[in-house]
């Protein structure tokens, strides 16, 4: 499985896929995309990398801390639900929105996006953790 | 350092005493589940104040003690986390003014108690004791919840004040008897009342600060608090009065009896705690001005001397390495300060002047003399229990600080100052209050009003003059001393009786019961969870299909379909052919890998359909899931043997029938959904509100992250759990392999 072509492809695909996943995550609110798909994409980046270089190498990557991301993701998702409460909403997970503007460029941010970020991290973490473990078992 | 928080809380509460004494109420109300009449609300009245001071005051001293005591342990940050968690739970419990809030904090204390008893989790005994305590107090908690709900039903609210201000709807409701019994079970399990008392001696596996704080001074008093809180509602009820009296007396005596022959210092203290808790229940149940005063004073007294003694027992164990009476002796030479502190606490426990324990005991006798019913019997049992306590105290004092000379491995020495501060302060207060008891009359008075409104607190005095009560006290001490003189014979008799007649083995029986239950559930699980994946799938498919058929009449299902094939685009036809071809390939495939790839083919076909009908989100997800499935499947298939044994013709036909049946049901369902219907569609709501309310144009995503965010949160939690499950299974497998 460990061919040079796959190695080069995987190494270059990883940052591309990660950035793409972030784009997909952000645009999910208005256009096709969203945390779930983005999470799968980000996870894939690592899975492909592991496929090319082996799990032990992939595990040394800086962001390869799936268990942390899973917990963190659920934490963010929960926290995003609390923000509405703190702003005096009646129930948990009431959306709160603001728009950040930098000159001509404006960024619409809201708790649902934060929630989606949580979904993203959890899904990616889950995927990486499970597949890495399965791959380790293989060797 | 952690002692600062409870200490400052203590002073905050202290500063509120005059206000509470005037009847000012401190209320905090946060709306919670207001539709169900549940509020997250607190109220500080006399009784709450009394307990809150106890929790924070003793808590601060324990924190100082534990700070030094726990130094030799690992992971102490966890320990202090649990301890603070407990303290918060206990404070919430005693200040709650809503039954559900109270119940929630009640459970907090049970859980933290579990964590703390099992803190030395490498030891089997500690784990078992923790589990036992959790199951008993947790089970009692469930009973309590049921009882509280039953009690609150007539009020349409869970407010504690509602019941106390107007008990009649509850007293006349048909659920009065079951609710009362369930609440009593809750209180009795928590406060280790016979026959639930056995978890408390087991809980002595916890480190000493925990025993001193949770299992003598505070947590076990939660049940007493609940009884005291409910007393104004129940005081006229015979069921309440008799149950409390009977169980109180029995526990008082049983606890004292089993304390007689114990060798372990902490076990001795645990059994005397059981006895003390029984006494408190009895005193509340007696329901006179004397008895309630006695109960409150005794509660305070007991918390002081018992916390002190537990801390001293911890010190002794730390320094000598044992808490077995047989291996201790002559410690007065090595630790004079500790000896003096312990002796004063033991004096208080035996009820000897000038300690406040004496006042507590005098009041107890006075209450029992004035008890409305069965006074003589209660008096006699109480007399014996007290004499036993005197005997135990003497034994403790003599056996540990004098007695035989022992060879210690290390030379014993005085405990560190921070290990002595807590006990010393508590003992000093006991002494001071013994001499000037009226200093706390104000506090006790307002607590008294919450338990027995309409009566007044009995005046506290150290000296009552020569009367029958003083005589009783004197006789108690005398009997204790006489028993002590003949201690060898007495202990032998008690041991003989215990092992031959009173060997209840409640603890073992409890675990046997648990084992029986576990075996039952194992058998049940083995039937349902047989481990054959193909049968699981079959069960799921058949059940889903049948349920769908069952619901069909409800949605006005009709079997006339207008299938039109013209107007389908070329691509859709192509996708359909792909799906059909893939499905056939799966069935006829000669190897697993081919079958797997063929399912991937089907998946891609479906994806194309999604793309064509503008379900782009679904399509993207589908592509990725399909790809991953095939990749993962390929990894698994790689390890499996080749298609060695085909499934037989019979099972193939069976599988085929299930598959076709399920396929037809799903197909009909899909066709049905395309027909116009009279039912309102929920999707309309989402389409209308997606942009206006949630500022998103991608409806699917808005549903996921906004309208139905809570569901999604549940899903990602399930995902994470599944990941943990898969990983631990695989790791377990790897471990097995490497150990082979």
């Amino acid at each position: 499985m460990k061919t040079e072509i796959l190695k080069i492809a995987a190494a270059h695909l990883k940052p591309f896929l990660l950035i793409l996943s972030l784009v997909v995550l952000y645009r999910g609110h208005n256009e096709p995309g969203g945390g779930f798909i983005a999470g799968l994409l980000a996870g894939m980046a690592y899975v492909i990398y592991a496929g090319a270089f082996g799990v032990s190498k992939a595990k040394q990557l800086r962001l390869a801390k799936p268990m942390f991301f899973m917990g963190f993701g659920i934490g963010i998702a929960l926290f995003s639900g609390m923000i509405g409460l703190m702003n005096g909403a009646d129930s948990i997970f009431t959306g709160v929105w603001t728009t950040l503007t930098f000159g001509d460029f404006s960024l619409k941010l809201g708790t649902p996006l934060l929630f989606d970020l949580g979904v993203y991290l959890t899904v990616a973490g889950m995927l990486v953790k499970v597949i890495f473990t399965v791959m380790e078992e293989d060797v | 350092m952690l002692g600062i928080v409870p200490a400052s809380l203590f002073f905050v509460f202290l500063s509120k005493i005059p206000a509470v004494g005037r009847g000012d109420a401190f209320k905090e109300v946060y709306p919670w589940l207001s539709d169900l009449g549940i509020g997250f609300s607190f109220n500080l009245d006399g009784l709450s104040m009394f307990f809150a001071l106890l929790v924070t005051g003793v808590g601060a001293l324990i924190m100082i003690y534990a700070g030094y005591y726990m130094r030799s342990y690992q992971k102490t940050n966890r320990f202090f986390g649990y301890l603070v968690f407990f303290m918060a739970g206990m404070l919430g419990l005693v200040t709650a003014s809503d039954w559900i809030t109270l119940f929630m904090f009640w459970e907090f204390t049970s859980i933290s108690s579990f964590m703390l008893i099992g803190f030395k989790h490498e030891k089997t005994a500690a784990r078992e004791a923790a589990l036992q305590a959790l199951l008993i107090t947790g089970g009692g908690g469930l009973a309590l919840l049921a009882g509280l709900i039953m009690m609150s039903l007539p009020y349409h609210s869970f407010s504690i004040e509602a019941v106390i201000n107007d008990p009649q709807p509850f007293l006349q409701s048909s659920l009065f008897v079951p609710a009362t019994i369930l609440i009593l079970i809750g209180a009795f399990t928590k406060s280790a009342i016979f026959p639930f008392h056995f978890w408390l001696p087991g809980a002595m596996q916890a480190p000493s600060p925990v025993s001193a704080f949770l299992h003598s001074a505070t947590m076990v008093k939660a049940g007493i608090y609940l009884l005291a809180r409910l007393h104004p509602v129940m005081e006229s009820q015979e069921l309440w009065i008799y149950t409390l009296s009977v169980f109180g007396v029995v526990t008082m005596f049983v606890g004292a009896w089993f304390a007689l022959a114990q060798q372990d210092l902490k076990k001795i203290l645990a059994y005397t705690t059981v006895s003390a808790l029984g006494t408190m229940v009895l005193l509340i149940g007696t329901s006179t001005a004397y008895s309630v005063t006695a109960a409150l004073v005794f509660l305070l007294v007991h918390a002081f001397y018992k916390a002190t003694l537990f801390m001293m027992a911890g010190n002794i164990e730390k320094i000598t390495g044992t808490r077995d009476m047989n291996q201790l002796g002559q410690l007065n030479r090595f630790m004079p300060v500790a000896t003096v502190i312990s002796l004063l606490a033991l004096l208080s426990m035996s009820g000897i002047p000038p300690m406040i324990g004496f006042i507590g005991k005098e009041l107890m006798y006075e209450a029992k003399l004035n008890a409305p019913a069965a006074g003589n019997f209660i008096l006699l049992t109480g007399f014996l229990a007290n004499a036993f306590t005197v005997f135990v105290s003497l034994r403790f004092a003599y056996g540990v600080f004098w007695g035989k000379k022992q060879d210690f491995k290390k030379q014993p020495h005085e405990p560190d100052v921070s290990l002595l501060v807590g006990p010393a302060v508590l003992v000093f207060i006991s002494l001071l209050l013994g001499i000037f008891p009226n200093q706390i009359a104000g506090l006790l008075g307002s607590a008294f009003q919450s338990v027995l409104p309409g009566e007044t607190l009995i005046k506290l005095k150290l000296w009552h003059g020569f009367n029958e009560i003083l005589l009783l006290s004197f006789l108690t001490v005398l009997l204790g001393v006489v028993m002590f003189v003949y201690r060898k014979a007495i202990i032998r008799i008690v041991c003989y009786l215990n092992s031959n007649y009173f060997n209840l083995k409640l603890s073992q029986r409890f675990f046997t019961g648990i084992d029986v239950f576990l075996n039952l559930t194992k058998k049940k699980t083995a039937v349902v969870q047989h481990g054959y994946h193909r049968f699981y799938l079959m069960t799921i498919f058949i059940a889903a299909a049948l349920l769908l058929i069952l619901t069909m009449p409800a949605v006005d299902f009709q079997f006339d379909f207008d299938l039109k094939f013209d107007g389908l685009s070329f691509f859709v036809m192509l996708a359909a052919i792909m799906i059909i071809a893939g499905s056939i390939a799966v069935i006829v495939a000669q190897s697993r890998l081919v079958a797997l790839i063929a399912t991937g083919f089907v998946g891609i076909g479906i994806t194309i359909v999604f793309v064509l009908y503008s379900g782009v989100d679904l399509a993207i997800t589908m592509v990725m899931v399909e790809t991953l499935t095939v990749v993962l499947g390929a990894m698994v298939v790689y390890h499996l043997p080749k298609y060695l044994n085909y499934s037989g013709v019979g099972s193939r036909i069976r599988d085929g029938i299930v598959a076709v049946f399920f396929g037809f049901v799903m197909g009909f369902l899909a066709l049905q959904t395309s027909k116009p219907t009279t039912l309102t569609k929920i999707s309309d709501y989402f389409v209308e509100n997606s942009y206006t309310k949630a500022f998103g144009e991608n409806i699917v995503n808005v549903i996921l992250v906004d309208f139905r965010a809570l569901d999604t949160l549940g899903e990602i939690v399930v995902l994470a759990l599944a990941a943990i499950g898969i990983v631990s299974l695989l790791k377990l497998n790897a471990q097995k392999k490497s150990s082979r």
Side-chain angles (χ1 to χ4, degrees), chain B residues 437-484:
Chain B
N438 280 316
Q439 294 303 314
I440 46 165
L443 173 66
L444 286 175
S446 55
F448 184 89
Q449 287 305 318
S450 312
V451 186
L452 208 64
E455 306 248 5
T456 46
L457 187 80
I458 302 298
K459 207 161 157 39
L460 308 176
K461 278 184 297 191
L462 190 62
W463 182 247
H464 287 260
F466 292 101
N467 54 15
E468 49 196 335
I469 293 158
L470 191 69
L471 183 70
L472 271 172
S473 279
F474 178 70
L475 286 176
T476 312
V477 177
L478 190 69
L479 181 62
V481 173
V482 170
M483 281 172 75
F484 181 70

Side-chain angles (χ1 to χ4, degrees), chain B residues 54-68:
Chain B
L54 195 66
V55 172
T56 49
V58 178
L61 295 173
I62 295 281
M63 283 291 187
I64 298 172
Y65 174 76
Y68 193 88

Side-chain angles (χ1 to χ4, degrees), chain B residues 261-459:
Chain B
Q262 294 294 330
Q263 293 297 335
D264 180 342
L265 291 184
K266 278 174 81 178
K267 283 266 165 72
I268 294 177
L269 296 175
Y271 277 109
T272 52
T273 307
V274 170
S275 173
L277 292 166
T279 311
M280 287 171 216
V281 170
L282 167 68
L283 287 172
I284 292 174
T286 309
S287 188
T288 57
Y290 272 115
S291 76
V292 173
T293 311
L296 291 172
V297 173
F298 185 54
L299 200 149
L300 197 69
V301 171
H302 175 257
F304 283 178
Y305 74 69
K306 202 48 81 57
T308 307
L309 288 174
F310 267 119
M311 287 194 265
M312 292 317 289
N315 288 345
I316 290 166
E317 188 188 5
K318 202 162 198 68
I319 286 164
T320 63
T322 179
R323 15 175 243 254
D324 188 342
M325 292 257 278
N326 287 332
Q327 296 173 27
L328 290 166
Q330 292 291 348
L331 283 181
N332 72 323
R333 296 187 189 172
F334 306 108
M335 38 174 93
V337 181
T339 308
V340 169
I341 293 173
S342 309
L343 283 185
L344 286 173
L346 287 168
L347 279 182
S348 194
M349 177 152 118
S350 325
I352 292 170
M355 305 302 289
I356 192 176
F358 176 69
I359 300 177
K361 200 172 62 174
E362 295 277 284
L363 280 165
M364 244 147 69
Y365 277 136
E366 192 121 26
K368 285 166 188 166
L369 271 178
N370 296 320
N376 290 333
F377 176 69
I378 292 177
L379 189 66
L380 180 67
T381 345
F383 174 70
L384 283 177
N386 281 336
F388 289 174
T389 313
V390 174
F391 168 74
V392 167
S393 311
L394 275 170
R395 227 182 124 218
F396 190 117
Y398 182 77
V400 174
F401 297 108
W402 283 275
K404 276 178 300 187
K405 204 174 169 215
Q406 301 282 352
D407 294 323
F408 295 107
K409 280 177 204 146
K410 278 188 307 181
Q411 179 81 354
H413 53 86
E414 196 74 61
D416 190 86
V417 177
S418 40
L419 291 176
L420 286 176
V421 169
V425 170
L426 288 177
V427 161
F428 183 64
I429 296 173
S430 302
L431 182 63
L432 218 59
L433 289 181
I435 299 166
F436 308 106
N438 280 316
Q439 294 303 314
I440 46 165
L443 173 66
L444 286 175
S446 55
F448 184 89
Q449 287 305 318
S450 312
V451 186
L452 208 64
E455 306 248 5
T456 46
L457 187 80
I458 302 298
K459 207 161 157 39

Side-chain angles (χ1 to χ4, degrees), chain B residues 92-369:
Chain B
L93 197 163
V94 297
T95 52
S97 71
D98 180 281
W99 289 121
I100 299 295
T101 312
L102 180 140
F103 169 75
M104 190 181 73
F105 286 114
W106 182 281
E107 294 293 279
F108 274 23
T109 61
S110 291
I111 292 168
S112 48
S113 157
F114 166 71
M115 299 290 202
L116 287 165
I117 298 172
F119 185 69
K120 297 182 222 163
H121 57 81
E122 314 85 22
K123 283 170 68 185
T124 321
R127 287 201 305 274
E128 279 182 354
L131 188 66
Q132 192 178 54
L134 180 73
L135 287 175
I136 291 173
T137 54
L142 288 180
L144 175 70
L145 178 64
L148 292 177
I149 290 174
M150 285 181 186
M151 181 168 70
S152 306
L153 277 179
Y155 297 92
H156 308 289
S157 128
F158 285 94
S159 161
I160 293 183
E161 283 160 4
V163 182
I164 288 171
N165 291 339
D166 180 20
Q168 283 313 313
F170 167 54
L171 297 182
Q172 269 140 32
S173 94
S174 55
L175 291 172
F176 168 71
V177 174
T180 309
I181 291 172
L182 287 169
I183 292 172
L184 283 174
I185 290 177
F188 284 0
T189 48
K190 194 80 164 181
S191 287
I193 297 300
F194 183 85
F196 304 112
H197 65 283
F198 55 92
W199 71 264
L200 190 59
M204 294 301 124
Q205 292 289 340
S208 285
V210 177
S211 309
F213 192 32
L214 272 72
H215 304 131
S216 69
T218 52
M219 188 184 101
V220 286
K221 306 272 167 68
I224 308 292
Y225 168 76
L226 183 69
L227 298 179
R229 179 55 78 205
L230 271 174
H231 190 68
V233 178
M234 304 284 209
E235 57 178 327
S236 57
Q237 300 301 311
E238 286 190 347
L239 173 68
W240 180 261
I241 298 295
Y242 285 125
T243 321
L244 290 194
S245 305
V246 169
F247 281 87
V249 166
V250 171
T251 312
M252 174 173 78
F253 188 76
V254 167
W257 173 265
F258 281 107
L260 285 177
Q262 294 294 330
Q263 293 297 335
D264 180 342
L265 291 184
K266 278 174 81 178
K267 283 266 165 72
I268 294 177
L269 296 175
Y271 277 109
T272 52
T273 307
V274 170
S275 173
L277 292 166
T279 311
M280 287 171 216
V281 170
L282 167 68
L283 287 172
I284 292 174
T286 309
S287 188
T288 57
Y290 272 115
S291 76
V292 173
T293 311
L296 291 172
V297 173
F298 185 54
L299 200 149
L300 197 69
V301 171
H302 175 257
F304 283 178
Y305 74 69
K306 202 48 81 57
T308 307
L309 288 174
F310 267 119
M311 287 194 265
M312 292 317 289
N315 288 345
I316 290 166
E317 188 188 5
K318 202 162 198 68
I319 286 164
T320 63
T322 179
R323 15 175 243 254
D324 188 342
M325 292 257 278
N326 287 332
Q327 296 173 27
L328 290 166
Q330 292 291 348
L331 283 181
N332 72 323
R333 296 187 189 172
F334 306 108
M335 38 174 93
V337 181
T339 308
V340 169
I341 293 173
S342 309
L343 283 185
L344 286 173
L346 287 168
L347 279 182
S348 194
M349 177 152 118
S350 325
I352 292 170
M355 305 302 289
I356 192 176
F358 176 69
I359 300 177
K361 200 172 62 174
E362 295 277 284
L363 280 165
M364 244 147 69
Y365 277 136
E366 192 121 26
K368 285 166 188 166
L369 271 178

Side-chain angles (χ1 to χ4, degrees), chain B residues 8 37 50 57 193 313 368 390 395 448-449 542 649 664 666 713:
Chain B
S8 39
F50 179 66
I193 297 300
K368 285 166 188 166
V390 174
R395 227 182 124 218
F448 184 89
Q449 287 305 318
I542 294 175
V649 181
F664 266 108
M666 289 308 287
L713 181 74

